[in-house]
Each structure stands twice: as structure tokens, then as C-alpha cells.
Amino acid sequence: MTTPIQTAAMLAIGDELLSGRTKDKNIGHLADLLTVAGIDLKEVRIVSDDEDAIVEALNALRAKYTYVFTSGGIGPTHDDITADAVSKAFGVPCLHDHDAMKLLGDMYAGRGLPFTEARQRMARMPQGSRHIPNPVSTAPGFIIGNVHVMAGVPQVFQAMVAHVVSELPVGQRVISRAIACPFGEGDIGTALGVIQKAHPQTSIGSYPHFDGIRFSTELIVRARDQALVDAAAADVDLMIEAIRSDKQAALSRDLGTGEVA
Amino acid sequence: MTTPIQTAAMLAIGDELLSGRTKDKNIGHLADLLTVAGIDLKEVRIVSDDEDAIVEALNALRAKYTYVFTSGGIGPTHDDITADAVSKAFGVPCLHDHDAMKLLGDMYAGRGLPFTEARQRMARMPQGSRHIPNPVSTAPGFIIGNVHVMAGVPQVFQAMVAHVVSELPVGQRVISRAIACPFGEGDIGTALGVIQKAHPQTSIGSYPHFDGIRFSTELIVRARDQALVDAAAADVDLMIEAIRSDKQAALSRDLGTGEVA
């Protein structure tokens, strides 16, 4: 029985991500979680706090992928417009949710703080949404259709996304094996291309690293079947050994020539 | 004389960014550089090493913004398909560039290394491209139309983008002032919304920070004119002082009540 492959996109919302003021930490976190859950993150977009930009990106992504996850723009200030934009994208009114009003009202009453108009903004969500619980600071995220709307503050995003991903059906995980390769991509590229062609059901990624002096590479073999990963990885190991032997032979030859001269 | 506002988008290319294996460092770096240069970064997309995905994203972005900057996928391995995808997007052949072949051929000859088929891949670019110099590892990036194609390895990306941005006309910089606010967004949201409405030519951003116990906020006032920033920032300062006074008065009242009781 094959599990259908589930895909996902992320939409990170916020001027601060595009001005450089804030360096995003949520994309990488979501990517890690989805990889563990066997859900393929296929695309990420970052847009500003602009209603048209959010609506356009959201409608493109939700039509194309199984799930969409958003971060940012659900706080109490004037630049928090995600709830309005998501409502507009779905063509439903954005309302003060009854349960969210009670949750927040009780929380502020318990802390002796006024439940201001600004704070009430955090209870607004598209009509028909379900809550995403927020164990950090109470104000809930929400789910409408295949879109999961979460806070941008990393601690809150992480708490929300842990809950959300735990409730999704687990996909068939991609199995991966990482192979450290001491040679740069120029040394391995041709052979690696041949190996990739010989193992079409795997995906072999090559990730160069530069230490300031020379390049090395991390090679990652991925597939949804262990035997496929093992077979391709064995060929990659052989390739690395062959290049090492070639280089040692060339070195011996050069040293040999040196002694004769 | 007003400088026309220049906009930009970034397209980060690579499976490793979407699997979580690599946490992107290039988006934030580009955002910082463009902010300094007075160019508005409006949108970022991350897509996988998939030709259709790259072509689609690139064509959408290059039609919409003054500049597009890409990272990733220009190395020598089979999964480096950015040059092919960019060529396809522009409808031109992807060729081994004569000057790039000479540059790379000379470099490898000087190091006594074979100029392999894989290494020659790094000289491929869309017909009609101009080079972006690579002082780190020689293989050039390229510019075609308004699209700037750069490496994904952060050291190389940073060297390339520094060169590219230095050659673009400098836009009218956005001036910003950051104001530390000790109160959470729930305390300031309503008043801040009023201030934003009173200063429509500025953009006032509110960035919550959670230290594990309570929220505080950084407020950033932005505009392309110093006087506009100053006027809005003065109102924000007044708002913070007013909230502080209110809270102190409330605290004194509560303590007073406590003494009487």
C-alpha cells in the first residue's frame, strides 16, 4: 500500500523579514519538522504586511499544495493583517471568534489587565476557522481549509506548529543517507551524474562546503525506500574510493618523477 | 527630484533549504544590503532543484520587480540546473560561455587539475549573459535582463552580491528609527493604530519579543523623509510615556488600596 505523497508550502509574512531587521527562524524549523513527518515542503514565500500580496500568495499556494503554513501578522497591532487577508482569500467575513474572545477575556481578567480593542483584535479570524492552541501566550492561531495560520514570534510559532504537525497524518518518510565527501564538486560531478542516472528513483543532492581554503562536499541520497537508498549510497561510496585511489596514484607518480629529475 | 523606487525579489533555489538540511543565510544578508542601498525587497521565494518550479517562479518575479536575485544551483553537479532553467525562462540557449571557459580552464591548469566535463558545466550560462565575478572560487555568476544569478554557498553569494549591489543605482534610502517599548502589543495596539493613521506616509512596524515571561515590543518608524520619521517617532515616544504614567498611577492606586484594606 502506498501512502499518497503530501506536499506543503510555507508563507512567512512580515516587512521585518524583507528589511533584514529580523532573520527568519521559522522556515528552517518547519522544514525540519515536515521532513520528520514525511511531508514534502515544496515552496516557501516571504511577503510583506500587504493585503494584496498575502491574498495572492495564499491563493496560489493553497491551490497547489496539500497544506499551507503561515507565520506572522496575527498580533494586536495595526500591521497585523493576516486574519483579514486570509478571510479575503477565502471570501468569508473576518469576525471576533466567540471562543477566542472568551479565552482571551478570561486570561486578561485573571491578570487584572483591560481587554482592550487591540487585544480583542487577536480573537479575529475567518468565519468557520478552528483554533490552533497557543500554550505560550494564549491568543490562538487558526485553521481554515488547508491553511494553518500561526504567529511569527519563534517560541509561539514552534509551540503552534508542533501541535499542528502532530495532528496531520504522517506521510511515508523520505529516508536519507548523508555521505561526507572530501572532494569538491568539480572532482565528482561527472561520476555523480552517472550514478544519479543509474538510480532514477533516488534523489542525490550535492552540497558544497567551503572552509576558506578548499571545497568539500556533503552528498545526500534520498528515497522513500531503504533498499533504493542503500544501492545508490553504495555506488557513491565506490566513487569516492575510486577518486581517492586516482589521486593517490597521481601523487605517487608526481613524487616519483620528482625523485628521478 | 524624486528617485523612482526600485523593487527587488529573491529566488533561493535548492532542495536542501526545503528539507531543513541547510538553514538559509543568504536571504537575510541580501535584505540587509538592499535596505542600505535603498532598494525595496518585496518578495522572496524558495523552490527546489526542479526546472519547472524555477522557471515559473523566475518568470513571475522578473515581470513584477525591478531586480531579481537568485542563489544556488550553479555548481558542477547534476542537481545544479539553474543556468538551464534561467535560459528556458528567457527562451535562449544555455551555452558554454567562451570567457568563462577560458577563466576556469586557466585556473584549473594553474592548479594542475583536469578541466573535467563537470567543471566545464560551471561555464554554462544563458546566451547573452554578463559575468558576475567570483573572487572566492572563480566560477562566475551571471546577469541576464534584470536577473542576477549567484552561488548558494554563503561566502561566494556574499562576494557576488556585494559586487552586484555596488553596481546598481542607489535608491532613495528608507530612513528608520527603532524605539524600544517595554510594553506588549496588547497595551499599545490601539494607540499605535491611531498614530499610524495620523502619519500615513510613514510605515510603523511593531515587532513583539517574548523573553519567556513577558512580551515587549520594538517599534520601527520608516519613511523616505527624515522629517516624517521624526514627527511619527515623537508621537510614539509620547504614547510610551503616557502608558508608563497610566501604569504607575494604577500601581500607586492599587498599593494605596492595599494599605487601606
Side-chain angles (χ1 to χ4, degrees):
Chain A
M1 200 184 83
T2 54
T3 316
I5 290 171
Q6 303 178 90
T7 59
M10 174 161 178
L11 178 62
I13 299 162
D15 292 349
E16 70 278 19
L17 301 170
L18 296 169
S19 73
R21 179 201 162 276
T22 299
K23 304 294 181 281
D24 170 83
K25 290 175 183 161
N26 296 329
I27 296 170
H29 181 80
L30 179 69
D32 285 335
L33 248 65
L34 293 180
T35 296
V36 170
I39 297 168
D40 288 355
L41 180 62
K42 302 293 277 183
E43 182 171 350
V44 176
R45 297 193 191 183
I46 307 177
V47 298
S48 65
D49 299 307
D50 175 272
E51 190 171 89
D52 291 342
I54 299 169
V55 170
E56 186 186 327
L58 194 65
N59 278 338
L61 297 174
R62 72 191 181 95
K64 200 164 175 184
Y65 303 106
T66 319
Y67 307 110
V68 179
F69 303 91
T70 81
S71 68
I74 61 168
T77 57
H78 63 276
D79 58 348
D80 291 305
I81 61 167
T82 298
D84 296 277
V86 175
S87 302
K88 194 170 173 187
F90 279 87
V92 299
C94 188
L95 305 173
H96 285 89
D97 178 83
H98 179 265
D99 293 342
M101 285 294 281
K102 171 136 183 46
L103 206 61
L104 287 164
D106 288 353
M107 187 266 287
Y108 287 114
R111 290 167 56 191
L113 292 170
F115 192 24
T116 58
E117 183 192 323
R119 290 186 170 122
Q120 291 180 25
R121 271 180 72 81
M122 293 188 285
R124 295 172 74 247
M125 51 184 76
Q127 194 171 37
S129 299
R130 288 184 292 130
H131 288 201
I132 300 173
N134 172 357
V136 177
S137 53
T138 308
F142 54 86
I143 303 171
I144 178 167
N146 61 343
V147 176
H148 302 73
V149 176
M150 294 171 285
V153 174
Q155 294 98 320
V156 184
F157 179 83
Q158 288 168 21
M160 287 182 171
V161 81
H163 176 86
V164 161
V165 173
S166 74
E167 295 217 323
L168 298 176
V170 174
Q172 192 186 347
R173 277 192 60 183
V174 172
I175 297 154
S176 69
R177 185 180 308 170
I179 300 167
C181 170
F183 310 116
E185 292 192 313
D187 282 322
I188 62 170
T190 308
L192 198 67
V194 172
I195 295 174
Q196 174 67 83
K197 278 210 179 99
H199 298 272
Q201 289 179 278
T202 67
S203 156
I204 306 178
S206 167
Y207 306 112
H209 174 74
F210 182 67
D211 68 3
I213 299 171
R214 60 179 61 80
F215 279 90
S216 58
T217 319
E218 187 177 38
L219 302 175
I220 303 202
V221 180
R222 293 188 194 84
R224 283 192 148 86
D225 180 291
Q226 185 70 55
L228 294 173
V229 171
D230 291 345
D235 279 0
V236 171
D237 288 337
L238 284 175
M239 175 196 76
I240 293 172
E241 278 318 302
I243 294 171
R244 200 190 311 271
S245 298
D246 281 357
K247 285 195 179 274
Q248 280 167 348
L251 189 65
S252 304
R253 206 166 49 231
D254 289 353
L255 290 174
T257 310
E259 281 167 15
V260 170
Chain B
M1 199 187 84
T2 54
T3 315
I5 290 172
Q6 303 178 90
T7 59
M10 174 161 178
L11 178 62
I13 298 163
D15 292 348
E16 69 277 20
L17 302 170
L18 296 170
S19 73
R21 179 199 163 278
T22 300
K23 304 293 182 280
D24 170 83
K25 291 176 182 159
N26 297 329
I27 296 170
H29 181 80
L30 179 69
D32 285 336
L33 248 66
L34 292 180
T35 296
V36 170
I39 297 168
D40 289 354
L41 180 62
K42 302 293 275 184
E43 182 172 350
V44 176
R45 297 193 191 184
I46 308 176
V47 297
S48 66
D49 299 308
D50 174 274
E51 190 172 89
D52 291 342
I54 299 169
V55 170
E56 186 186 327
L58 194 64
N59 279 338
L61 297 174
R62 73 191 181 94
K64 199 165 176 183
Y65 303 106
T66 318
Y67 308 110
V68 179
F69 303 91
T70 81
S71 67
I74 62 168
T77 57
H78 64 277
D79 58 349
D80 291 305
I81 61 166
T82 298
D84 297 276
V86 175
S87 302
K88 195 171 172 186
F90 278 87
V92 300
C94 187
L95 304 173
H96 285 90
D97 178 82
H98 179 266
D99 293 343
M101 285 294 281
K102 172 136 183 46
L103 207 61
L104 287 164
D106 288 353
M107 186 265 287
Y108 286 114
R111 292 167 55 191
L113 292 169
F115 192 25
T116 57
E117 184 192 324
R119 290 184 170 123
Q120 292 180 26
R121 272 180 72 81
M122 292 188 284
R124 296 172 73 247
M125 51 184 76
Q127 194 171 36
S129 299
R130 288 183 292 130
H131 288 200
I132 300 172
N134 172 357
V136 177
S137 54
T138 307
F142 54 86
I143 303 170
I144 177 166
N146 60 344
V147 176
H148 302 73
V149 176
M150 295 173 285
V153 174
Q155 294 98 322
V156 183
F157 179 83
Q158 288 168 21
M160 287 182 171
V161 81
H163 176 86
V164 162
V165 173
S166 74
E167 297 217 323
L168 297 177
V170 174
Q172 192 185 347
R173 277 191 61 182
V174 172
I175 297 154
S176 68
R177 186 181 308 171
I179 301 167
C181 170
F183 310 116
E185 293 191 312
D187 281 322
I188 61 170
T190 309
L192 198 67
V194 172
I195 295 174
Q196 173 68 83
K197 278 208 179 101
H199 297 272
Q201 288 180 279
T202 67
S203 155
I204 307 179
S206 166
Y207 307 112
H209 174 73
F210 182 68
D211 67 3
I213 298 171
R214 60 179 60 83
F215 279 90
S216 58
T217 319
E218 188 177 38
L219 302 175
I220 303 202
V221 180
R222 294 188 193 84
R224 282 194 149 85
D225 180 291
Q226 185 71 54
L228 293 173
V229 171
D230 291 345
D235 280 358
V236 171
D237 287 337
L238 284 175
M239 174 195 76
I240 292 173
E241 278 318 303
I243 295 172
R244 200 191 310 273
S245 299
D246 281 357
K247 285 195 180 274
Q248 280 167 346
L251 188 64
S252 304
R253 205 166 51 230
D254 290 352
L255 290 175
T257 310
E259 280 167 16
V260 170

